[in-house]
Amino acid sequence: MTALPPVVDEPTWREALAELRVREKAATRELDAIAAARRRLPAVKLPEYRLTAEDDSTVTLAEVFDGRSQLVTYHHMWSDGNRWQCPGCTGATASWTRPDLLSELDVRFVIVTNGPMDEVLAYKKRVGNQMTWFSSAGSTFGADVDAGPGEGFAYNVFLRDGDDVYRTWTTTGRGAEQFMLSFAIADVLPYGRQEEWQDVPEGWPQEETYKRWLSSKDVAAMYGDPDA
């Protein structure tokens, strides 16, 4: 039998929704306040890191901005020689197919990984990824921004002034969920993410965390060339 919430008449439903809306609006105001505080964070000036671009050229971190003043990087977990990389990273980056929509905000959004570029390009094709990738192999850049070899993923934000680059913000773990459309949609669904840690009514479907996440092979089968 399908798990259902209490079924009521429309006026009762609208009353309950209005009560929830008060909390939702309070959360929105708090997020606005956090964003305002984030815009007032100090910054750290970085050295001139050099990364490898997809055409195998070497570029400075300032050049990665491609003329824009702001840069967001997603640092994709990587294990050299592995055919399939982190499924969470693979699934997350598969969802960003039009990052140039951010161009009017004077920002570029790219992927950085510690893997060698030849493996990176093969993997990009295999899983059908449409982002622009850079490799920090041979550089301390990944480690210096909290995403070194053997470490986890991270988001980082940078600001450029000429050839000078400043690190302004970073997050990882559940702080990364604000970038994920799939989580935002799941959290407004009656059953939510259907993971065992979530607070749900009795009888709601729940499974162990990550069980419903796509594997890297799943992403390749949907969007890429799994035989590449």
Side-chain angles (χ1 to χ4, degrees):
M1 182 177 178
T2 301
L4 292 173
V7 178
V8 297
D9 58 37
E10 184 172 346
T12 303
W13 173 77
R14 288 192 178 278
E15 182 180 355
L17 182 63
E19 291 177 0
L20 179 63
R21 191 73 79 223
V22 172
R23 298 178 63 186
E24 290 176 335
K25 287 183 176 294
T28 297
R29 288 191 290 270
E30 177 61 12
L31 288 173
D32 286 344
I34 291 170
R38 188 182 295 118
R39 290 189 290 271
R40 289 166 172 77
L41 282 174
V44 177
K45 185 176 180 180
L46 300 179
E48 187 185 80
Y49 293 106
R50 292 189 172 272
L51 308 179
T52 303
E54 290 186 4
D55 63 2
D56 213 33
S57 64
T58 300
V59 297
T60 65
L61 181 58
E63 290 172 325
V64 174
F65 284 71
D66 196 27
R68 296 166 190 168
S69 66
Q70 301 165 103
L71 176 70
V72 178
T73 56
Y74 179 79
H75 296 260
H76 195 296
M77 295 171 64
W78 194 270
S79 296
D80 289 357
N82 281 12
R83 181 168 180 79
W84 301 108
Q85 300 295 334
C86 168
C89 293
T90 302
T93 57
S95 66
W96 306 320
T97 59
R98 293 181 173 86
D100 285 342
L101 288 172
L102 295 168
S103 61
E104 289 302 310
L105 295 175
D106 195 27
V107 59
R108 192 182 191 195
F109 183 19
V110 302
I111 301 173
V112 178
T113 189
N114 297 299
M117 185 52 72
D118 58 340
E119 290 188 15
V120 167
L121 291 177
Y123 193 68
K124 177 179 178 178
K125 178 181 179 182
R126 189 173 303 133
V127 299
N129 191 281
Q130 298 186 37
M131 295 284 286
T132 299
W133 292 59
F134 292 86
S135 171
S136 57
S139 165
T140 63
F141 177 63
D144 292 348
V145 296
D146 304 310
E151 297 178 350
F153 70 93
Y155 290 86
N156 278 280
V157 178
F158 307 94
L159 183 66
R160 182 181 65 86
D161 179 26
D163 292 330
D164 294 330
V165 176
Y166 303 87
R167 188 185 187 198
T168 63
W169 184 76
T170 186
T171 194
T172 188
R174 293 201 63 192
E177 291 182 3
Q178 59 194 296
F179 290 85
M180 293 296 296
L181 177 61
S182 59
F183 286 147
I185 293 173
D187 286 345
V188 302
L189 298 176
Y191 295 154
R193 304 184 196 181
Q194 301 180 47
E195 296 186 347
E196 59 187 358
W197 61 271
Q198 290 200 290
D199 181 358
V200 300
E202 185 177 352
W204 248 228
Q206 283 184 293
E207 296 182 275
E208 61 185 83
T209 304
Y210 308 125
K211 185 172 183 180
R212 288 180 174 268
W213 290 32
L214 295 176
S215 70
S216 299
K217 291 182 180 180
D218 291 333
V219 174
M222 287 179 175
Y223 304 115
D225 181 0
D227 297 324

